[in-house]
Amino acid sequence: MSASIRLVIDCPDQVGLVAAVSEFLAAQSVNILEASHHTDQHLNRFFMRHEIEADSVALDINELREAFAKVAAKYDMEWSLRHSSEKRKVALLASHESHCLNDVLHRWHSGELYCDIPCIIANHEAMREYASWYKVPFHYIDFSDKPTAFAKIDELLSHYDIDLTVLARFMQIIPEAMCQKHAGKIINIHHSFLPSFAGAKPYQQAYDRGVKLIGATCHYVTSDLDEGPIIEQEVMRISHSDSAQDMVRKGKRCEVNALANGIRYHLEDRVIICQHKTVVFD
Amino acid sequence: MSASIRLVIDCPDQVGLVAAVSEFLAAQSVNILEASHHTDQHLNRFFMRHEIEADSVALDINELREAFAKVAAKYDMEWSLRHSSEKRKVALLASHESHCLNDVLHRWHSGELYCDIPCIIANHEAMREYASWYKVPFHYIDFSDKPTAFAKIDELLSHYDIDLTVLARFMQIIPEAMCQKHAGKIINIHHSFLPSFAGAKPYQQAYDRGVKLIGATCHYVTSDLDEGPIIEQEVMRISHSDSAQDMVRKGKRCEVNALANGIRYHLEDRVIICQHKTVVFD
Amino acid sequence: MSASIRLVIDCPDQVGLVAAVSEFLAAQSVNILEASHHTDQHLNRFFMRHEIEADSVALDINELREAFAKVAAKYDMEWSLRHSSEKRKVALLASHESHCLNDVLHRWHSGELYCDIPCIIANHEAMREYASWYKVPFHYIDFSDKPTAFAKIDELLSHYDIDLTVLARFMQIIPEAMCQKHAGKIINIHHSFLPSFAGAKPYQQAYDRGVKLIGATCHYVTSDLDEGPIIEQEVMRISHSDSAQDMVRKGKRCEVNALANGIRYHLEDRVIICQHKTVVFD
Amino acid sequence: MSASIRLVIDCPDQVGLVAAVSEFLAAQSVNILEASHHTDQHLNRFFMRHEIEADSVALDINELREAFAKVAAKYDMEWSLRHSSEKRKVALLASHESHCLNDVLHRWHSGELYCDIPCIIANHEAMREYASWYKVPFHYIDFSDKPTAFAKIDELLSHYDIDLTVLARFMQIIPEAMCQKHAGKIINIHHSFLPSFAGAKPYQQAYDRGVKLIGATCHYVTSDLDEGPIIEQEVMRISHSDSAQDMVRKGKRCEVNALANGIRYHLEDRVIICQHKTVVFD
């Protein structure tokens, strides 16, 4: 795929917005590859994403930003302009389950997830072998003292200048201060179809309730546990004959797919957080 | 499909059960069309369903019951033996939404749901036209006084000798006494993926939470609202661009399909209630 | 939902298209409810659909058409501008299976499908009762002589000034001349996942091949049997234990849902035919 | 999960079969964990699978085989009795795409797929790193001369005493003689929903046809290309906006899941090949 520039806009809705943006883009003679709009009529808010062929843009990206800033100011826009070749730095946090970690690493390695992964942090040594296979620095964190552990994690995120933290079945509750500091920059995969079965042991909860479908939810982390804005969900059919073990196996499939989509949408600037919900231009 | 006899068994698990039943069936020289087993290892309970070609059974069904009663007594079985030609009497309760009612009636009329439908009961007159099209007696119940309304409904269920009551988007909470009297004989369709969004206005709840899939749940009614044993669930993908109206439209599809499967499983003796869960031999 | 005006455009791709349309719309001060674009880079062709709040448009629709015609001419656009309140006239053609017919009629009656249904045409008398329930004129056509039968059908389509013909399991091959005359205006539901199992008895073909999923395909009719542009497809899981009868039952669900979506997309001007494929702005 | 013994039977249908097997099992006082039956009424053939708790079996497995052989002979059964701890030897054949290979290796390494993987064979060097990570011997085969290449592969399969060969996107047509020699012992993943888009470049074929769902098919390899008995199929929704590249990404998900299920069903003795179809007791 050829390189592109992504223009993402979130602003109060009003007449003329689309025309103003389109005129701006036409004046630059750019070639639009994808364009998506959404108006939230309850919130009277407008969301827009353009993907522009990079080669069709005469200005460099900073000049383009400067030029667009005037349009943006007029309409009170929150906005970003990013070149698709810009690699964001993603930290993976894991515990003792490897399926999400392995899946993210493989998709990254094969080019499906476009980013850098400068570190893997885990509270179990078992994940070290994955890190070493993929030649990613590995940091084991001792969780016997949680505040210290999280302080170390935060230090690592700063050290590596991390843009996005992915909880790949990390299984630890992120402290409120860290949630706020990294708002919109921590993605979790929860192994249930939220809001069903929030909290601990969701497969056991699902087994006990006797549901006929299980699922997984990829969401941004906020200080309300399992209440953050949902990016993606997946489900699979189960029956009375599925043991807890079968449910775990089937659920893993939901987890890896929901997480992979969630990360990809984030990295491709396809997600806009709007209060406690998301707009996803997939 | 040729006529069949269904033998359904629920009993404490022990060695020799399957052999005892199989020997009994072999001694009758019957032709087994379907056989399903399940052992719940937590509850140490065994569930079994056979579907036997009716023409291969030499005894009449009462003789067969008598003969089987000896096996059943030995193993402390709860059991039923039913001829597939036996039509159960199903009452449909509705309110002002027609999609579930229309769907059940069409499947019944086209032979997919094998039963009698001796009456439709509703708290809105709007459903009368469906009843008259399908030539089913219609009873409008005034709900200005709920206890009186439910007393009338219960009277009608007795009058028509109803075996199964289907709440086809009835939207009224069944009184506890009625739940207990008809335990395992009232099926509801709830328009959410339970346990998410129990109670009122589930589509609005789903919209507010920002989930990426919506669903419907077919379950037996118990005195715990929306907590009864689940028979079937369906989901559909939605996105930020789906309005509440779109969600209702997509949700209807989940509702009619989950309800139709739930009723069919019940009528074909495919469901065994086990505490607050179900075994469904689909 | 409030009334809207839909502007649908299909033209050669070039820079400035979106800006020209957006400027035009902004100059009219209209409120855009939905906007979708697509560029087919192989064909170098651009597709666009806007849904505009009708109340926000000062001009009447003919004045709006006149005004837009100048933009359209400049960019060599094929385009349409249609008010959402305009009801298209849909003819339903059926045979002896009622599930698609009943489903379309119910969705129409409950307001999900916005159109007029001025006639039902069938080669079996069995569908007459559905027509009379829904108070739609019914025409039985004797198919002992096919050319005469199709001549009568074509006459009826003219007589009722039909905009869209829906083959609701009609099971007759439409003559080439009729396909061409009504190109893009006849929708069929084929009971397989095309291109698998084109032609007769698709469920039997699926059973014989031993596939693990069955499906249905809603497509425009062309003179190449089962080769027309696909609008929508649905699938369901099956297993070795599903008889041909079970497959028919499960398949019906795919058929009614694919057909309902296909018709709705067409009526809401969400489909653009592009050679032998479709762009569907769902 | 505790160890189990799997008894799989395929024989002409007749009365008394189930009783004979059940009596045999009851006489051994075994604890049945799972039991599944299927009768193919067209072929008049009966299929049965029991999973028995190993600890409940007094005899060793050879004694059990000897004892059962008498029952089997009486009913002309093809049968197998296998202990769940028995590890089959699986060879993975790959080319230059890593997603299936990585997925199978991770599921094997994490215990989801219970087998030995004594070798990986590929016609590209790129897969060597996966082999070395998982410490599996890697054999590069030069395909400039195909007959020589396949002779080497067959030699390796003999050398490693392989029970099952998995074509993890191997992309080479297996010679007829090799198909026949290893009948029922080679599993392929084809990247389309068969019988649609057999042969080369199925995603391109799907793109060209404009289908709305793409899929993958896991099947046994026979000398009829892409015509072997299907074990599992998966599909995913696509739209006009999905490029060929998007389809490849979505399709990979279908491929890995269909392949993983297919291998697992085979290794757990859940598949019985019946002419050109399968019975899968999932």
Side-chain angles (χ1 to χ4, degrees), chain A residues 103-105 107-115 260 263-264 267:
Chain A
D103 188 77
V104 171
L105 288 168
R107 290 186 204 241
W108 164 67
H109 186 253
S110 66
E112 184 183 318
L113 294 175
Y114 186 80
C115 59
I263 297 173
R264 187 170 54 81
L267 293 177

Side-chain angles (χ1 to χ4, degrees), chain D residues 2-281:
Chain D
S2 55
S4 64
I5 290 173
R6 302 166 197 144
L7 171 59
V8 179
I9 295 165
D10 167 4
C11 64
D13 192 25
Q14 62 177 283
V15 168
L17 266 172
V18 179
V21 175
S22 304
E23 272 175 64
F24 172 81
L25 295 175
Q28 311 292 331
S29 293
V30 304
N31 185 19
I32 297 171
L33 299 172
E34 264 188 69
S36 314
H37 309 189
H38 175 60
T39 308
D40 187 314
Q41 301 195 313
H42 293 278
L43 302 174
N44 199 37
R45 205 139 180 102
F46 181 77
F47 308 90
M48 189 184 230
R49 178 184 184 275
H50 281 91
E51 191 147 350
I52 302 156
E53 194 173 13
D55 287 348
S56 73
V57 182
L59 303 180
D60 79 22
I61 196 160
N62 286 325
E63 292 167 336
L64 195 66
R65 282 191 185 114
E66 223 168 283
F68 187 71
K70 286 159 212 156
V71 181
K74 192 171 159 199
Y75 291 94
D76 195 16
M77 294 174 177
E78 295 178 40
W79 61 285
S80 67
L81 245 170
R82 194 190 305 266
H83 197 283
S84 67
S85 69
E86 182 191 327
K87 279 191 175 176
R88 253 149 318 159
K89 295 189 194 72
V90 177
L92 302 180
L93 271 61
S95 181
H96 57 91
E97 290 270 21
S98 63
H99 57 286
C100 286
L101 189 71
N102 176 68
D103 187 77
V104 171
L105 286 168
H106 181 262
R107 290 185 204 242
W108 163 67
H109 186 252
S110 67
E112 183 183 318
L113 294 176
Y114 186 82
C115 58
D116 281 327
I117 300 187
C119 67
I120 295 170
I121 303 170
N123 60 350
H124 276 76
E125 279 289 354
M127 298 301 105
R128 188 181 291 276
E129 61 173 341
Y130 290 92
S132 81
W133 287 345
Y134 284 99
K135 300 181 182 61
V136 175
F138 178 83
H139 298 272
Y140 166 76
I141 303 279
D142 176 1
F143 261 70
S144 55
D145 179 67
K146 289 203 182 189
T148 309
F150 278 110
K152 276 190 193 158
I153 289 174
D154 207 35
E155 210 179 285
L156 285 166
L157 300 184
S158 295
H159 170 75
Y160 286 110
D161 194 18
I162 293 301
D163 297 300
L164 177 69
T165 299
V166 172
L167 310 184
R169 295 293 305 273
F170 180 51
M171 313 303 285
Q172 295 285 338
I173 297 169
I174 307 298
E176 183 159 356
M178 197 171 154
C179 292
Q180 279 161 2
K181 180 175 171 190
H182 302 282
K185 297 189 172 174
I186 309 180
I187 286 179
N188 185 41
I189 181 72
H190 182 77
H191 42 312
S192 85
F193 182 80
L194 290 173
S196 291
F197 313 130
K201 302 202 173 188
Y203 292 128
Q204 189 61 45
Q205 291 184 57
Y207 180 87
D208 292 343
R209 179 62 186 91
V211 289
K212 300 300 185 187
L213 293 160
I214 53 165
T217 303
C218 181
H219 64 94
Y220 288 106
V221 172
T222 63
S223 49
D224 290 328
L225 184 65
D226 298 333
E227 291 288 332
I230 293 172
I231 312 171
E232 177 71 311
Q233 298 188 292
E234 294 281 342
V235 289
M236 275 197 70
R237 193 159 286 278
I238 56 166
S239 80
H240 62 267
S241 69
D242 283 298
S243 64
Q245 191 184 32
D246 292 327
M247 287 169 62
V248 168
R249 175 175 48 74
K250 291 187 172 182
K252 281 180 181 177
R253 172 176 167 177
C254 296
E255 294 168 40
V256 295
N257 288 313
L259 181 59
N261 273 348
I263 297 173
R264 186 171 54 82
Y265 293 152
H266 182 95
L267 293 176
E268 293 179 4
D269 299 302
R270 296 184 177 279
V271 192
I272 306 172
I273 297 174
C274 175
Q275 297 189 357
H276 57 285
K277 295 165 67 172
T278 62
V279 171
V280 179
F281 292 123

Side-chain angles (χ1 to χ4, degrees), chain A residues 160-172:
Chain A
Y160 286 111
D161 194 19
I162 293 300
D163 298 300
L164 177 70
T165 300
V166 172
L167 310 184
R169 296 292 306 272
F170 180 50
M171 312 304 285
Q172 295 286 338

Side-chain angles (χ1 to χ4, degrees), chain B residues 36-37 55 60 76 99 122 142 192 200 222 226 228 231 245 275:
Chain B
S36 315
H37 310 189
D55 287 349
D60 78 22
D76 196 16
H99 55 286
D142 176 3
S192 84
T222 63
D226 299 331
I231 312 172
Q245 192 185 31
Q275 298 190 356

